[in-house]
Structures are given as C-alpha cells and as structure tokens.
Amino acid sequence: MIIETKSPEETFRVGMRLGQKAAAGQVFTLTGDLGVGKTVFTQGLARGLGIVEPVSSPTFTIVQVYDEGRLPFYHFDVYRIGDVEEMDEVGFDDYIMGDGVSLIEWADLIEEILPEKRTEVLIEKDLEQGFDYRKITIHELDG
C-alpha cells in the first residue's frame, strides 16, 4: 500500500490509523532518510495506541517503553547501534515476542534479526512534489 501525504499532520494521521488497528505482538519496521518524518509517524502510531505522553526517538537508549496505552509500546531507534549483539543486551527478543507493539526505526541496520512477520514502513520525500510531500509505503510480511 502506498499513501502520499502533504503535511506532517497527515503523516501523523497515517501513523495514528495504524496504531488504532495494531494488535498485540505486532512489529513495525520504519526506514527512511534523516528528517523524513519517522518521529512524526511514530508519534501518530503511539497516539493511535492511546499514548498521550510525548514520544521522541530513544537514540541514546535504544528502546523507550510506553505502557499507558491500550497496549504496551516499544519504540526502538537502532541508528547508533554498533553491533546487532547489542540488541540482546536490551532484551530485543523479549520485547518483540511480547504482548505489546514494537516499532523499530532504522530497522535495515538490524535486518538479520528482524522477525519474518512484520509490517514494513518506508517513508520517502520527493522535493519536486513539495517540501512536506511524503510517500509512505506499507508492506506486510507474513513470514
């Protein structure tokens, strides 16, 4: 599925709709260049899960846990990870096999340990379409 948005608010709403439909154990992978709107999308997904506290990228902690929504939300940012073995140290498998919803930013950096069943989200910009234009590609992998 491809969705085109023309503002950060629209990108937020795409994430929110996915969060409203998300099920326990669901894993989202999120890729896209710096500044493309991954955090805005993630904030929308969290809102769709009923999380109202501020959500920001856990760049220096790898994972941030939010548990006041209808499901726990595990937000990973693996941009600064040096080795996939670091993911074991934060209990990656426990989170993604748990009863919450996981979202992994920069997921392509840990491709070899991602679950086969996941929802891949790619956000791209195209400046010819406008500064705030985003193309969001959502692809379900069933493993």
Side-chain angles (χ1 to χ4, degrees):
M1 166 190 325
I2 295 175
I3 300 169
E4 297 177 304
T5 65
K6 294 181 172 49
S7 70
E9 295 79 20
E10 287 181 21
T11 299
F12 179 94
R13 284 194 298 272
V14 171
M16 190 168 77
R17 284 193 301 274
L18 285 176
Q20 290 167 337
K21 296 176 186 175
Q26 190 162 3
V27 176
F28 293 89
T29 61
L30 183 57
T31 54
D33 293 336
L34 280 170
V36 80
K38 292 185 299 295
T39 300
V40 169
F41 175 89
T42 301
Q43 291 167 338
L45 191 126
R47 183 63 53 87
L49 289 168
I51 296 164
V52 294
E53 72 178 276
V55 172
S56 59
S57 287
T59 301
F60 296 102
T61 59
I62 300 177
V63 64
Q64 182 70 42
V65 176
Y66 302 90
D67 52 15
E68 91 266 359
R70 67 177 176 83
L71 293 167
F73 179 46
Y74 311 125
H75 179 199
F76 293 87
D77 184 329
V78 299
Y79 183 71
R80 297 193 190 286
I81 197 158
D83 189 312
V84 293
E85 291 177 9
E86 289 179 51
M87 297 307 288
D88 287 337
E89 295 170 19
V90 298
F92 180 71
D93 286 339
D94 294 331
Y95 287 114
I96 65 167
M97 302 295 188
D99 60 353
V101 173
S102 299
L103 181 137
I104 307 155
E105 289 189 51
W106 301 100
D108 51 320
L109 299 176
I110 60 167
E111 181 77 33
E112 60 268 32
I113 63 169
L114 293 175
E116 289 184 19
K117 183 176 182 174
R118 62 185 183 261
T119 303
E120 294 183 332
V121 180
L122 169 65
I123 303 177
E124 301 170 286
K125 39 181 171 171
D126 180 350
L127 293 178
E128 291 181 15
Q129 298 280 336
F131 182 77
D132 288 327
Y133 171 88
R134 299 296 184 265
K135 179 172 118 179
I136 303 171
T137 305
I138 302 167
H139 185 212
E140 300 286 337
L141 295 180
D142 291 328

